[in-house]
């Protein structure tokens, strides 16, 4: 298949749905975690859950870069721009995530702080060149996919001799988080979250390859299938996971062969290794402190590190009362379990990060309306009720 509509073909989807129903054993349940928010959205947007037998369940994981950033780091970003008379640049979704005291970067901007939305690290570098008398801080977030462009920007800033450009680095690593989930008490001791296999991230894997997942597939005896983001990718990957589970195998398989290789993008990996090093630990929203799960800027590039150049204290902050984002990010609860879902919390008025980001689970539930049951009277929809998805 070459074109995107071929990966959304209804006929093929029905065929795959039949094959999955045939393969799935009626006497067991298959709990498959999609780590990545892109998969959560594909599942909801195209109704993939409806094409699965009852005993094949999707468990939503923490793979949304905006959702996993703890509130304390957003507080830090707000302080960085307000205390230093700087320009703070970041990606759009980040601006609306609630921080402490119901503040956000957008509200800080409305109050006069110079916060700017950018589409790339290159936009931030451009601002640094345009405003040489101002400190320009790039608020860097994201998984392994967004890390190489940040490394490029730091190297370019060095080559161009920019003295007013820094990066507030919040880049996090996928394999460490998956391992942490499998070691969590909810999975290991309490059995509150049952995970039989993983859909491996697609964009992340295009950079790091499939090799880093081999350790925990073997160690934790859970199969991993690297899956593309289209609905047929997700369905084919579900079939591959179910087959592995039926055969008692726990291997790393690659459904997304059109993009991902075992070794990944070696050039991007070398660039990241040149500029960044592992942090001993980093806090994730919902997962707490995760060892060796994030990157910091190497000492030789310290002049471009906002945490070295400015004061960035460690802040412990809490979610809005009633917001279930931490449990949703661990797969313990669903968005519809949150009392605020669809009442006070909507994409227009988000209370937590999972409703802000386009990759968040709450936004997926809300946007595609699959939790709603229309109450129809006389052919007219009179009320929309919430129901458990
Ligand atoms: S619905 Fe809103 S408040 Fe509830 S978990 Fe989701 S983002 Fe948090």
């Amino acid at each position: 298949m070459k074109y995107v509509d071929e990966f959304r073909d209804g006929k093929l989807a029905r065929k795959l749905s039949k094959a999955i129903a045939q393969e799935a054993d009626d006497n067991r349940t298959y709990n498959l975690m999609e780590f990545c928010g892109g998969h959560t959205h594909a599942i909801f947007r195209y109704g993939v859950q409806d094409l699965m037998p009852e005993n094949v369940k999707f468990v939503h994981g923490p793979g949304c870069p905006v959702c996993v950033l703890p509130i304390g780091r957003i507080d830090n970003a707000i302080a960085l721009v307000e205390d230093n008379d700087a320009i703070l640049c970041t990606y759009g979704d980040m601006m609306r995530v609630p921080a402490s005291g119901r503040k956000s970067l957008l509200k800080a901007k409305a109050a006069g702080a110079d916060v700017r939305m950018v589409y790339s690290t290159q936009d931030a570098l451009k601002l640094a060149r345009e405003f040489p008398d101002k400190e320009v801080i790039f608020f860097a977030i994201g998984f392994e996919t967004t890390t190489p462009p940040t490394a490029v920007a730091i190297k370019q800033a060095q080559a161009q001799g920019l003295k007013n450009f820094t990066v507030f680095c919040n880049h996090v690593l996928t394999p460490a988080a998956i391992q942490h989930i499998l070691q969590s008490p909810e999975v290991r001791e309490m059995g509150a979250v049952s995970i039989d296999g993983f859909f491996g991230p697609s964009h992340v894997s295009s950079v790091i390859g499939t090799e880093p997942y081999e350790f925990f597939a073997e160690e934790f005896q859970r199969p991993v299938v690297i899956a593309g983001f289209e609905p047929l990718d997700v369905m084919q990957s579900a079939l591959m996971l179910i087959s592995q589970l039926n055969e008692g195998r726990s291997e790393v398989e690659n459904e997304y062969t059109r993009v991902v290789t075992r070794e990944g993008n070696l050039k991007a990996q070398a660039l990241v290794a040149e500029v960044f090093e592992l942090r001993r630990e980093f806090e994730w929203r919902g997962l707490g402190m995760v060892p060796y799960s994030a990157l910091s800027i190497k000492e030789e590039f310290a002049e471009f590190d906002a945490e070295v150049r400015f004061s960035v204290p460690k802040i412990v902050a809490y979610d809005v009362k009633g917001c279930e984002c931490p449990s949703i990010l661990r797969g313990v609860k669903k968005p519809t379990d949150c009392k605020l879902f669809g009442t006070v919390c909507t994409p227009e008025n988000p209370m937590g990060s999972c409703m802000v980001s386009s990759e968040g689970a709450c936004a997926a539930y809300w946007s595609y309306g699959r939790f709603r049951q229309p109450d129809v009277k006389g052919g007219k929809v009179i009320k929309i009720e919430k129901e458990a998805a």
Side-chain angles (χ1 to χ4, degrees):
M1 293 196 285
K2 263 164 78 187
Y3 303 107
V4 73
D5 52 344
E6 295 171 307
F7 291 92
R8 299 173 184 174
D9 184 279
K11 261 193 203 155
L12 277 178
R14 277 189 288 279
K15 263 193 189 168
L16 264 174
S17 177
K18 251 191 198 163
I20 291 168
Q22 269 166 8
E23 181 70 34
D25 177 352
D26 293 342
N27 298 312
R28 60 165 300 176
T29 303
Y30 302 85
N31 295 296
L32 311 176
M33 179 177 259
E34 78 273 3
F35 179 89
C36 191
H39 290 135
T40 310
H41 270 252
I43 289 164
F44 279 87
R45 183 168 182 193
Y46 297 102
V48 175
Q49 180 72 74
D50 301 343
L51 296 167
M52 296 286 136
E54 282 279 293
N55 57 337
V56 176
K57 315 247 183 235
F58 295 118
V59 183
H60 316 308
C64 154
V66 172
C67 302
V68 296
L69 197 68
I71 289 177
R73 299 293 281 187
I74 307 167
D75 291 342
N76 283 146
I78 292 172
L80 272 171
V81 62
E82 287 182 342
D83 298 350
N84 299 293
D85 188 27
I87 298 173
L88 185 108
C89 315
T90 193
Y91 299 127
D93 279 350
M94 210 56 239
M95 311 248 311
R96 298 171 59 232
V97 180
S100 296
R102 311 213 56 172
K103 235 177 156 178
S104 66
L105 283 165
L106 201 60
K107 284 183 182 165
K109 181 180 172 72
D114 198 344
V115 180
R116 304 196 189 193
M117 191 189 90
V118 290
Y119 291 102
S120 73
T121 52
Q122 294 304 308
D123 292 344
L125 277 180
K126 194 166 165 244
L127 280 168
R129 287 191 294 267
E130 273 172 24
F131 298 95
D133 300 331
K134 279 270 212 180
E135 290 289 347
V136 174
I137 305 167
F138 177 63
F139 185 15
I141 62 150
F143 295 105
E144 288 89 337
T145 332
T146 49
T147 311
T150 308
V152 169
I154 290 173
K155 286 197 66 172
Q156 283 177 328
Q158 189 184 51
Q160 292 164 11
L162 285 177
K163 298 288 174 212
N164 62 331
F165 177 77
T166 50
V167 171
F168 178 36
C169 180
N170 294 275
H171 285 299
V172 288
L173 303 172
T174 312
I178 298 184
Q179 189 173 332
H180 191 76
I181 291 169
L182 288 170
Q183 284 171 326
S184 71
E186 282 104 346
V187 175
R188 285 215 140 172
E189 295 148 31
M190 292 140 57
V193 184
S194 188
I195 303 170
D196 300 309
F198 281 97
F199 293 96
S202 37
H203 291 160
V204 162
S205 307
S206 69
V207 176
I208 64 172
T210 64
E211 199 183 352
Y213 306 97
E214 287 169 7
F215 163 74
F216 58 76
E218 195 182 321
E219 179 74 14
F220 296 96
Q221 289 294 293
R222 300 293 205 290
V224 178
V225 173
I226 311 302
F229 280 137
E230 294 303 325
L232 292 191
D233 287 320
V234 177
M235 294 182 74
Q236 176 64 31
S237 303
L239 181 59
M240 290 162 77
L241 281 170
I242 293 165
S243 301
Q244 279 210 50
L245 288 163
N246 286 350
E247 291 159 23
R249 290 186 291 123
S250 298
E251 294 164 15
V252 179
E253 290 182 331
N254 184 10
E255 182 275 337
Y256 199 37
T257 48
R258 60 191 187 275
V259 175
V260 174
T261 58
R262 183 167 183 268
E263 52 292 328
N265 183 334
L266 296 175
K267 206 171 165 191
Q269 289 168 25
L271 192 62
V272 169
E274 190 186 341
V275 176
F276 297 103
E277 62 191 6
L278 277 178
R279 283 183 198 262
R280 210 172 271 269
E281 61 176 11
F282 191 77
E283 188 188 350
W284 290 55
R285 187 182 286 203
L287 303 186
M289 286 296 179
V290 182
Y292 301 108
S293 65
L295 299 172
S296 60
I297 297 167
K298 276 185 174 171
E299 209 181 320
E300 57 211 87
F301 296 97
E303 59 180 308
F304 304 103
D305 187 347
E307 288 179 83
V308 172
R309 182 98 71 91
F310 309 103
S311 155
V312 179
K314 191 169 165 3
I315 299 174
V316 180
Y318 300 95
D319 286 274
V320 169
K321 207 165 164 236
C323 171
E324 299 280 9
C325 283
S327 306
I328 289 165
L329 293 167
R330 293 200 308 277
V332 178
K333 288 190 176 175
K334 287 179 184 166
T336 41
D337 296 328
C338 175
K339 286 199 179 79
L340 308 185
F341 179 81
T343 52
V344 286
C345 184
T346 61
E348 290 73 40
N349 184 35
M351 294 289 126
S353 56
C354 299
M355 190 61 98
V356 174
S357 161
S358 54
E359 290 186 13
C362 297
Y365 269 59
W366 182 257
S367 304
Y368 303 114
R370 297 193 185 276
F371 60 93
R372 280 175 278 191
Q373 182 81 313
D375 189 355
V376 180
K377 214 177 197 178
K380 274 189 179 167
V381 175
I382 54 169
K383 202 166 108 196
I384 291 175
E385 298 279 7
K386 265 204 283 176
E387 69 160 21

